[in-house]
Structure formats: structure tokens, C-alpha cells
Amino acid sequence: MGDVLQLPRGGLRSRAEEEALRDHAVVPRGALPGAGPENGRVTWAGGRSVTRPMVGAAESYDALAGGRVDGNPHLTVTGAKPGRMTVATSRGPAVVPAWLFSLEGYADPLTRAAVTASPLPRPPIGPGGGVPGQPLDRVVRIAVDGRSVTVIALDGVCDDGPVVTVLETAGSVVLSGAVENQEHGDCTKQARPRQVTVRLAQPVGDRVVLDAHTGRPIPYKPAYGPSPSWS
């Protein structure tokens, strides 16, 4: 699942408040609503849906807060109400239940997804002998027009950097990570994360983004909060 947090319209007002959110410098003022229903429905285009466990307002708030304030710039949550938001998933955009947190000084809420992501499935294939490269770490961005995907690929100290190739089918976008000009000899084993953007012939749409080395959907890592995986 993609970014589980959506900023107020227009973003935060200052770099200091952006850093406060990143550092979990969020404080409450007022009571939060109860846990709400146990389950919520995630819906994709065309009506496909799945039911997932819900996260209560207090638990969702705890994922935002907990950092030290001590008089430094911070954000103040004044309340919360249920709502919905759209997130990117490995099956295309989906509408999910969300908590809308009111922020002091803002007309629009800070919105956080209120359902838990499903775990990644077990790999449907075994590891291939002699296949160069290694699994991709995560997806960090899909372009607004859906025609490019940015992933975190890993390379070492004795190569010319990672390269990601793509195979597109009607139902999937298969990405394969490798490295260019890998040297052999006295090289320490180090894995360095690098962003690689892959251009697509067609928009991602509702196709699943898969890793060629594992056969599994590649998980997203949101900008704020934990990194959920979505199958």
C-alpha cells in the first residue's frame, strides 16, 4: 500500500512543521473518538473489494505522535472523525477508510488510512540459480500519469550501479533488478539503496507490480509512518 498519510491541501506551512511531522512531534488537544468498527472495506475501480481490520483513532494517532516536543515546533491534533482516502496499491488506486485528524491552524485535515495492509503472499516461485541481481526493496513513487515507477534497487561497491528492466503484460508489470559491470575479486559485500525510475509503455492502471526474483508484489514504503505491504 502506498502513502498511508495525506497532508492538508497545499501541504504544511513551513519546513519546521514538515520536520515536526517527520519527527513525530505531534501533540493532542481534546479527546479522540472510539475504536469504531472492527473491519473496513477497501475498494478498487470496477467494484472489486476486500475487507481488512480497522485501526482505531487512538492507535492511528499513536503512529503519528511520540516524538519529543520540548517547546520546539510541533503540530497539534484537536480531534478526529472517520472518512475515506485514495491510496496507491500494487493493484492500482484503492479507496480505503481513513481517520481525518483536525490540526490547529489548518482548514483541511491530516488524513491517515485506517485499515491494516494485508501481508505479502509467499513467493510462488523458487530462487533461480545464476539469475543476476537481487529482489527490489520497495516502490517509492508512481507517476501521476502512471507511466513510470520509481523503486529502491540495491547495488554494491564494485559495480556501476543498479539497473531495472521491465516486462509488461496485460495484468502485471514485472520489474527485475540487476547491476551494471559488476567486478569480481576483492569486493566487500555491501548493499547500497538507490532510486531507479523505470518508464512504462502503458500506464500502470490496475496491473500488479511484481518482482521478477520473488514473483511477489513489490511493497510500497510511505513517506510517514511504518511501511505496510500490500498483496
Side-chain angles (χ1 to χ4, degrees):
M1 191 166 67
D3 284 355
V4 296
L5 195 67
Q6 188 175 88
L7 299 179
R9 188 178 306 173
L12 298 178
R13 294 173 297 194
S14 67
R15 177 67 62 85
E17 288 191 342
E18 291 174 359
E19 292 176 353
L21 181 60
R22 181 197 65 198
D23 297 337
H24 300 271
V26 180
V27 297
R29 194 186 70 201
L32 296 174
E38 291 185 0
N39 297 301
R41 186 166 295 278
V42 178
T43 305
W44 285 269
R48 293 176 300 163
S49 66
V50 64
T51 299
R52 294 297 303 159
M54 287 276 288
V55 177
E59 184 180 351
S60 188
Y61 168 81
D62 288 344
L64 301 174
R68 297 183 61 182
V69 177
D70 297 336
N72 294 320
H74 60 274
L75 296 169
T76 300
V77 170
T78 59
K81 63 181 181 180
R84 300 186 74 78
M85 67 183 292
T86 300
V87 299
T89 79
S90 59
R91 295 178 180 175
V95 178
V96 305
W99 288 110
L100 280 54
F101 290 99
S102 302
L103 293 180
E104 187 176 66
Y106 287 87
D108 296 309
L110 179 70
T111 305
R112 193 174 196 280
V115 290
T116 61
S118 57
L120 288 173
R122 294 181 61 183
I125 57 177
V131 178
Q134 53 189 317
L136 298 168
D137 186 68
R138 61 187 183 272
V139 173
V140 295
R141 188 181 311 109
I142 293 180
V144 175
D145 62 5
R147 288 188 172 269
S148 70
V149 178
T150 301
V151 296
I152 297 295
L154 303 177
D155 74 332
V157 296
C158 293
D159 57 59
D160 292 336
V163 60
V164 179
T165 56
V166 58
L167 171 65
E168 298 185 50
T169 72
S172 63
V173 175
V174 184
L175 302 179
S176 179
V179 295
E180 290 186 309
N181 301 324
Q182 185 173 14
E183 299 177 11
H184 299 281
D186 280 340
C187 289
T188 58
K189 289 187 177 181
Q190 298 181 33
R192 302 178 300 185
R194 308 281 190 179
Q195 286 197 16
V196 179
T197 298
V198 182
R199 295 291 301 176
L200 305 178
Q202 299 293 330
V204 175
D206 61 356
R207 295 183 294 174
V208 183
V209 181
L210 299 173
D211 187 286
H213 290 269
T214 65
R216 299 193 305 180
I218 305 173
Y220 286 76
K221 185 181 188 303
Y224 304 100
S227 175
S229 59
W230 193 262
S231 63

